[in-house]
Amino acid sequence: MRISGVWKAYGRRQLLRGADLDVPAGTLVGVVGENGTGKSTLLRIAMGHLAPDRGTVERAGKAGYCPQHAVLNDSFTVMQHLRLFQAAYRLPTLARAHELMDLLAFADSGRQRAGELSGGTRQKLNLLLALMHDPQLLVLDEPYQGFDWDTHQRFWSLAARLRDQGRSIVVVSHLLHDRHHFDAVGHLRDGRLDMERTTR
Ligand SMILES: Nc1ncnc2c1ncn2[C@@H]1O[C@H](COP(=O)(O)OP(=O)(O)OP(=O)(O)O)[C@@H](O)[C@H]1O
């Protein structure tokens, strides 16, 4: 994915001012920045959910988006969500979804309604729905909010494995101790991304 020269204002508030972000296949890139600097806005533009005022986004292949706030139907069970997304993604089976449920350690929550899930489990479902169709591009907005430590570690192993298999991954993160997982980190400041190579 390549984001080039993206500008975005909400009313008079100019948020993005020529932001560039390159996420080639096989890279894991972090986006960091203070609250309200426009990280989620940038990711929504990256996904095509929001139009930029100026600039372009190039994407190749299927994309998976994990929004900052899970968009779930509280009266549907976890399994009903999986079946709904299976139909939307046109998947022949739920094999990958079940693998991810095991990996994220919530395989026993299938019959629970989304409205009854704990915050961390809700977030596991949010992430699973973004990944179950094995997308080439992963756009993840604070995907591990509320995860316990084991799940947090398993998330990073999964992300590294997918990166090594050639996926493009961009993650909004607030956690300084996660920086070493990234190939590069983009600091969103004054509407632009300053890229820093990490020493991974
Ligand atoms: N649809 C909208 N209309 C008007 N203003 C908006 C809209 N969406 C976001 N904003 C404002 O734009 C600014 C950036 O929001 P955004 O969610 O992109 O920031 P962020 O960097 O992801 O923040 P955080 O770290 O708190 O998640 C905020 O001040 C927010 O209130």
Side-chain angles (χ1 to χ4, degrees):
M1 176 178 70
R2 176 169 293 158
I3 295 175
S4 310
V6 160
W7 288 67
K8 181 72 189 176
Y10 288 122
R12 287 195 188 163
R13 179 151 185 226
Q14 190 64 52
L15 206 58
L16 301 176
R17 301 166 182 267
D20 299 314
L21 180 66
D22 203 7
V23 192
T27 53
L28 176 46
V29 174
V31 172
V32 300
E34 289 174 13
N35 292 133
T37 44
K39 301 178 297 298
S40 297
T41 298
L42 184 71
L43 263 50
R44 290 175 61 213
I45 291 172
M47 286 302 298
H49 293 179
L50 188 67
D53 298 332
R54 256 198 278 165
T56 56
V57 177
E58 294 162 61
R59 284 191 313 265
K62 288 181 290 182
Y65 176 49
C66 178
Q68 185 175 11
H69 303 291
V71 182
L72 304 174
N73 185 323
D74 283 350
S75 59
F76 283 12
T77 66
V78 169
M79 274 313 297
Q80 284 170 330
H81 279 89
L82 299 195
R83 286 199 210 97
L84 190 66
F85 277 73
Q86 178 185 10
Y89 293 140
R90 298 173 198 274
L91 299 176
T93 74
L94 283 174
R96 177 70 178 150
H98 286 300
E99 261 178 55
L100 289 166
M101 271 180 106
D102 284 338
L103 189 127
L104 294 170
F106 74 120
D108 54 359
S109 301
R111 289 172 182 214
Q112 264 187 287
R113 291 186 198 283
E116 297 163 356
L117 297 174
S118 71
T121 308
R122 217 177 147 77
Q123 185 58 20
K124 290 177 184 185
L125 178 57
N126 189 25
L127 178 61
L128 186 149
L129 297 176
L131 301 184
M132 61 186 274
H133 58 311
D134 198 13
Q136 167 60 35
L137 169 67
L138 283 60
V139 175
L140 312 178
D141 198 343
E142 299 187 45
Y144 38 67
Q145 299 167 74
F147 282 4
D148 57 55
W149 182 247
D150 277 356
T151 313
H152 186 90
Q153 297 298 91
R154 280 199 295 270
F155 164 78
W156 282 115
S157 312
L158 172 66
R161 200 161 63 239
L162 292 170
R163 182 262 317 279
D164 294 343
Q165 290 169 359
R167 308 290 186 274
S168 301
I169 311 177
V170 53
V171 180
V172 167
S173 172
H174 279 292
L175 302 179
L176 279 178
H177 61 249
D178 283 335
R179 291 166 60 95
H180 63 281
H181 294 291
F182 296 118
D183 300 305
V185 175
H187 297 261
L188 189 54
R189 296 186 191 110
D190 302 326
R192 295 175 61 92
L193 277 163
D194 296 330
M195 296 308 296
E196 172 204 350
R197 293 274 145 208
T198 61
T199 50
R200 187 184 68 83

